[in-house]
């Protein structure tokens, strides 16, 4: 990525992280818009405030707000909650600050339709001295985002929900409720679509060992056993963590996977998400879900996302609104790119727009027949294709 014009630096920063640049989709477009916005912001910033002198001028303009502090005194933190005009910001020492956004910045962010959201990394000035020692501050600057997940409201407008998330932890249970590998495939697609690294957690392993295996095997007659299904995901290259809150197995590995990441948590209710989080960090509670959010339709997804801070480093975000994330808005044509094992075959199909379902000369179908692609994964693809 050597030769780039200076003004394009922001793009260079995030490109190497993009794992699925194959198709330009809405999400990518939004992502680019975001990058453009950041570039614009940089421009505006350099126009309005180049160097210390003009920064002082900015502060002068802003004299009605709380007094600003020298930039070198700014603290760095992560926004964990947004409530109206107040953001809760966690600093590097784990302290929690209640911050407003400096008006100049707020105006700029409103103009670019991009308010501060959870996950944003921000610089803020300490205003505790003028607030009787309470940990309050003013957000002065927002760092460029490395990712941005959004949801769409009923009028199809996008709302950014979480910034800087880097992985998606899909929690499923191997029994009660029984494992549905197709659902795992969906989480993988959702994660890749959102440019998040998928991490798969198979919980309630104790039930598998106790003999509930029989139940699973019976229902899966002629299909893969739970262990075979997990092995299949492993062979595809996805991190698979087998856990049990009851025996404690896999918990250290899960902890390692979460440490220092901003992880989006997903999984149906009852699979053990709350139990897992609580086992990793006693006292840490997932926000209780609203009933309406469980309808999968996202009837009322007004509930706000909130980051939970992990003592051992990193954040987890779990929000009912996640179901309405644009993660699921995958176009049929881009689905193939999210099935990693299809990729070597896709170019070999006779037709450029092959959907790999019935076309003649389809290299993907041939690979399934030759045993190079798992029939289960292939069926999963076909099922998803008919849905998107
Ligand atoms: P959530 O809805 O995904 O947050 O799931 P919960 O954490 O509330 O767990 C649902 C149920 O599964 C509870 O009764 C838990 O006690 C139980 N559970 C959670 N993890 C395990 C596990 O590893 N093994 C077993 N046997 N039960 C579990
Ligand atoms: Zn094909």
């Amino acid at each position: 990525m050597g030769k780039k014009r200076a003004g394009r630096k922001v793009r260079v920063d995030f490109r190497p992280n993009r794992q699925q640049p194959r198709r330009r989709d809405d999400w990518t477009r939004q992502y680019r818009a975001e990058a453009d916005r950041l570039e614009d912001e940089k421009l505006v910033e350099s126009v309005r405030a180049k160097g210390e002198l003009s920064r002082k001028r900015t502060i002068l303009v802003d004299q009605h707000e709380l007094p600003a502090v020298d930039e070198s005194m700014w603290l760095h933190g992560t926004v964990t909650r947004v409530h109206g005009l107040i953001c809760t910001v966690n600093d590097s020492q784990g302290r929690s600050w209640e911050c407003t956004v400096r008006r100049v910045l707020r105006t700029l962010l409103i103009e670019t339709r991009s308010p501060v959201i959870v996950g944003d990394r921000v610089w803020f000035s300490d205003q505790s001295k003028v607030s009787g020692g309470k940990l309050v501050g003013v957000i002065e600057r927002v760092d460029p985002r490395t990712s941005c997940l959004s949801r769409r409201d009923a009028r199809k407008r996008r709302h950014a929900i979480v910034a800087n998330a880097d992985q998606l932890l899909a929690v499923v249970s191997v029994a009660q409720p029984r494992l549905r590998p197709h659902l795992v495939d969906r989480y993988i697609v959702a994660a890749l679509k959102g440019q998040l690294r998928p991490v798969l957690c198979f919980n309630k392993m104790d039930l598998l060992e106790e003999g509930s295996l029989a139940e699973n095997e019976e229902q899966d007659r002629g299909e893969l056993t739970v262990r075979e299904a997990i092995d299949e995901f492993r062979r595809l290259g996805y991190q698979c963590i087998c856990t049990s809150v009851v025996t404690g197995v896999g918990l250290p590995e899960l902890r390692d996977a979460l440490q220092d990441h901003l992880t989006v948590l997903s999984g149906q209710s009852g699979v053990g998400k709350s139990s897992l989080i609580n086992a990793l960090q006693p006292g840490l509670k997932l926000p209780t879900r609203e009933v309406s959010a469980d309808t999968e339709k996202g009837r009322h997804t007004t509930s706000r996302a909130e980051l939970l801070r992990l003592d051992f480093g990193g954040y987890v975000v779990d929000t009912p609104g996640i179901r309405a994330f644009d993660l699921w808005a995958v176009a049929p044509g881009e689905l193939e790119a999210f099935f990693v094992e299809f990729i070597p075959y896709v170019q070999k199909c006779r037709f450029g727009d092959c959907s790999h379902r019935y076309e003649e000369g389809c290299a993907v179908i041939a690979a399934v027949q030759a045993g190079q692609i798992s029939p289960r994964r292939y069926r999963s693809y076909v099922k998803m294709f008919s849905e998107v």
Side-chain angles (χ1 to χ4, degrees), residues 164-232:
N164 301 317
D166 63 340
Q167 58 185 16
L168 181 139
L169 181 74
V171 182
V172 293
S173 57
V174 296
Q176 298 176 20
R178 76 188 197 96
L179 180 66
R180 289 168 55 210
H182 175 68
L183 192 59
V184 180
D185 293 328
R186 297 180 75 108
Y187 286 128
I188 293 173
V189 169
L192 297 177
K193 169 76 181 175
Q195 304 193 355
L196 304 174
R197 186 176 81 96
V199 179
L200 312 177
C201 175
F202 299 89
N203 191 36
K204 306 198 187 181
M205 286 304 282
D206 55 293
L207 296 180
L208 200 56
E209 273 134 29
E210 260 175 23
S212 299
L213 183 61
E215 172 204 339
N216 282 281
E217 275 182 335
E218 201 182 341
Q219 295 194 34
D220 274 347
R221 198 183 292 281
E223 295 182 12
L224 301 179
T225 66
V226 169
R227 289 192 193 280
E228 284 167 348
I230 297 173
D231 279 345
E232 193 171 273

Side-chain angles (χ1 to χ4, degrees), residues 14-84:
F14 73 79
R15 265 203 181 137
N17 291 333
R18 297 199 315 146
Q19 292 178 327
Q20 296 291 334
R22 286 170 185 88
R23 302 253 161 118
R24 256 205 179 224
D25 47 59
D26 280 347
W27 203 92
T28 316
R29 256 203 300 281
Q30 193 211 345
Y31 202 72
R32 278 165 195 249
E34 177 74 3
D36 290 338
R37 178 185 71 76
L38 292 167
E39 276 175 38
D40 291 344
E41 203 171 298
K42 267 200 166 169
L43 267 175
V44 174
E45 209 171 55
S46 55
V47 169
R48 283 196 193 162
K50 194 146 195 130
E52 279 308 302
L53 264 177
S54 47
R55 185 157 290 121
K56 277 190 188 119
R57 209 154 55 221
T58 309
I59 287 162
L60 214 65
V61 169
D62 223 29
Q63 60 189 314
H64 300 299
E65 293 211 19
L66 297 166
V69 186
D70 180 357
E71 189 177 328
S72 65
M73 300 289 284
W74 287 355
L75 299 167
H76 200 229
T78 303
V79 176
T80 59
R81 199 186 329 162
V82 179
H83 206 273

Side-chain angles (χ1 to χ4, degrees), residues 124-329:
F124 63 98
S125 53
D126 178 354
Q127 306 290 344
S128 59
K129 284 199 186 71
V130 291
S131 321
K134 274 189 285 181
L135 294 184
V136 296
V138 175
I139 294 175
E140 310 280 357
R141 187 185 293 163
V142 183
D143 284 346
R145 292 173 184 158
T146 57
S147 74
C148 180
L149 297 177
S150 59
R151 64 174 174 80
R152 262 187 290 192
D153 65 17
R155 294 164 64 188
K156 301 257 173 194
R157 285 176 311 191
R158 280 167 201 279
H159 297 270
I161 307 187
V162 183
N164 301 317
D166 63 340
Q167 58 185 16
L168 181 139
L169 181 74
V171 182
V172 293
S173 57
V174 296
Q176 298 176 20
R178 76 188 197 96
L179 180 66
R180 289 168 55 210
H182 175 68
L183 192 59
V184 180
D185 293 328
R186 297 180 75 108
Y187 286 128
I188 293 173
V189 169
L192 297 177
K193 169 76 181 175
Q195 304 193 355
L196 304 174
R197 186 176 81 96
V199 179
L200 312 177
C201 175
F202 299 89
N203 191 36
K204 306 198 187 181
M205 286 304 282
D206 55 293
L207 296 180
L208 200 56
E209 273 134 29
E210 260 175 23
S212 299
L213 183 61
E215 172 204 339
N216 282 281
E217 275 182 335
E218 201 182 341
Q219 295 194 34
D220 274 347
R221 198 183 292 281
E223 295 182 12
L224 301 179
T225 66
V226 169
R227 289 192 193 280
E228 284 167 348
I230 297 173
D231 279 345
E232 193 171 273
F233 290 117
R234 263 207 191 105
R235 280 199 303 274
L236 293 172
Y238 298 116
Q239 183 177 6
C240 296
I241 308 175
C242 296
T243 57
S244 165
V245 175
V246 175
T247 66
V249 71
L251 295 180
E253 196 189 338
L254 182 60
R255 180 191 155 107
D256 281 352
L258 298 182
Q259 189 166 27
D260 298 333
H261 289 279
L262 201 171
T263 307
V264 174
L265 193 60
S266 49
Q268 294 183 314
S269 78
V271 296
K273 294 181 299 301
S274 315
S275 311
L276 284 166
I277 291 299
N278 211 256
L280 293 180
Q281 186 171 320
L284 194 60
K285 286 207 168 52
L286 296 183
T288 38
R289 278 144 202 283
E290 287 159 27
V291 179
S292 59
D294 271 332
T295 60
E296 301 242 340
K297 292 256 163 67
R299 209 151 38 99
H300 267 289
T301 47
T302 46
S303 53
R304 296 174 187 87
E306 182 176 344
L307 294 198
L308 301 177
R309 185 175 176 276
L310 301 167
D311 289 341
F312 48 88
Y315 293 92
V316 169
V317 57
D318 169 66
T319 163
I322 198 140
R323 303 220 170 82
F325 271 11
D326 270 349
L327 292 177
W328 298 106

Side-chain angles (χ1 to χ4, degrees), residues 87-107:
C87 300
T88 306
V89 179
N90 246 285
D91 70 13
S92 47
Q93 296 168 45
R95 291 177 302 180
S96 201
W97 298 72
E98 300 293 297
C99 294
T100 54
V101 182
R102 181 154 310 276
R103 196 151 36 136
V104 165
L105 177 61
R106 192 159 68 222
T107 309

Side-chain angles (χ1 to χ4, degrees), residues 346 349-354 359-361:
V346 163
C349 294
R350 186 178 303 161
F351 305 109
D353 59 350
C354 187
E359 289 89 343
E360 262 180 50

